[in-house]
Amino acid sequence: MRQAEIGLDIAEGRPALTSAHALLPGGGEVRLAAGRDTGSTDALFNGHVEARADNLRRLSTWLGFDLEGVPPGRPGRLSLSGELQVTPGLLRLAEASLRIDDTVAQGGVVYRLQGRPSFGLDLRLDELDLADYLPPDATLRSMPMTLLQRFDTNVMLKARRIGVGGEQLENLSLDLGLVGGQLTVREARTRFGGGSIVLHASASDLAGTPNYIGDMQIAEPTPAALLTRLAGLSPSGSEELGALALDLRFEGKGPELSYQASGRLGETAFES
């Protein structure tokens, strides 16, 4: 850290940060400027924040984050601005505008500074290709699930396009919570190819043998295209199939899941 400057205001024995500026590794820079008085008696800072980095990977390493599995050159550039409030127990970033490499996001973040690590995200982003930031062999099973026992979170995310495993999820909307190691997907909704998927689910005992329960609705106007996309299959006559509407319910423990399916394929209703 270089050229650090800090401005403090001490009133009735209580310090409050009025301004700050510092240069950081990786071409990083952060600047704080206090805003108007909100009347909060415990605010340590309330104002505007701006931050940037030319090499976010180097800055992240300096901050102690392990990015060994992230592909080389990622993450690269960072720019951030927003309204920041800090109290002894809470950090709140609102009206945030964030850019990392080619991904742009807006929204807010809340982080609890005391007790069990807890945070909330409410973000809207344009495009993100997860392959740019994950190890080449990354899978859901390779994720250390014990990490999900260590923090609580609520996440609301909307994205115009997310790249996952070579597929494109469009108009993604995600609303989930993680409390005490129990994950609740209140709703996940996305466009996939020409169709749509909606998911509601919950999972517990994530660090052991997880218990799952949920339901999924799939609507696909051209099932033949879905078969080709997911399994590389193109059965004879599949192009003549009608639209698919599938309601799938599932429940179980670990890999032992039971399913109930109902829906319609073209003019034919089915149930199992």
Side-chain angles (χ1 to χ4, degrees):
M1 181 184 297
R2 298 179 292 116
Q3 299 181 23
E5 302 174 2
I6 296 178
L8 291 175
D9 182 22
I10 301 178
E12 300 180 357
R14 293 178 58 86
L17 184 65
T18 58
S19 64
H21 174 258
L23 299 181
L24 305 172
E29 182 179 15
V30 61
R31 187 182 301 273
L32 301 175
R36 61 181 178 83
D37 186 2
T38 61
S40 174
T41 59
D42 60 350
L44 303 176
F45 177 79
N46 188 80
H48 188 71
V49 59
E50 292 186 1
R52 66 170 185 85
D54 296 327
N55 188 334
L56 182 54
R57 188 184 186 99
R58 182 182 172 195
L59 177 59
S60 299
T61 301
W62 180 75
L63 291 172
F65 294 101
D66 182 9
L67 301 182
E68 182 178 354
V70 178
R74 300 289 185 163
R77 291 180 175 272
L78 161 77
S79 64
L80 168 69
S81 66
E83 301 305 313
L84 178 66
Q85 184 180 67
V86 182
T87 68
L90 202 67
L91 181 151
R92 184 188 305 273
L93 178 64
E95 302 176 29
S97 179
L98 169 68
R99 184 183 186 103
I100 298 179
D101 298 321
D102 296 324
T103 298
V104 178
Q106 291 85 34
V109 179
V110 177
Y111 186 83
R112 184 180 178 187
L113 299 174
Q114 298 176 349
R116 179 177 172 85
S118 305
F119 64 92
L121 298 176
D122 185 354
L123 294 177
R124 303 171 304 280
L125 58 88
D126 56 356
E127 297 185 356
L128 173 64
D129 194 335
L130 293 177
D132 289 342
Y133 300 95
L134 296 177
D137 57 348
T139 65
L140 186 59
R141 290 186 177 182
S142 67
M143 177 180 177
M145 302 301 282
T146 54
L147 288 177
L148 300 182
Q149 301 278 4
R150 301 178 185 176
F151 64 90
D152 298 334
T153 186
N154 274 292
V155 175
M156 295 185 67
L157 173 69
K158 292 186 177 182
R160 185 169 63 85
R161 186 191 66 82
I162 299 284
V164 181
E167 298 293 340
Q168 305 298 318
L169 304 181
E170 298 179 343
N171 298 328
L172 174 68
S173 176
L174 180 62
D175 181 1
L176 65 80
L178 176 67
V179 179
Q182 175 157 334
L183 176 66
T184 301
V185 181
R186 292 180 283 265
E187 181 172 273
R189 180 184 298 268
T190 187
R191 300 286 299 179
F192 180 71
S196 64
I197 301 174
V198 180
L199 170 70
H200 308 88
S202 64
S204 58
D205 194 17
L206 295 173
T209 304
N211 290 289
Y212 302 102
I213 185 170
D215 62 82
M216 179 185 298
Q217 292 80 45
I218 300 175
E220 174 57 63
T222 54
L226 183 63
L227 283 172
T228 302
R229 188 182 306 114
L230 295 182
L233 300 176
S234 184
S236 176
S238 62
E239 66 278 357
E240 299 177 5
L241 295 173
L244 171 67
L246 173 65
D247 188 346
L248 181 66
R249 299 178 183 274
F250 57 89
E251 184 175 0
K253 188 177 182 69
E256 299 178 359
L257 294 179
S258 61
Y259 301 91
Q260 289 183 326
S262 62
R264 180 174 293 274
L265 180 60
E267 300 299 321
T268 303
F270 62 87
E271 184 173 353
S272 64

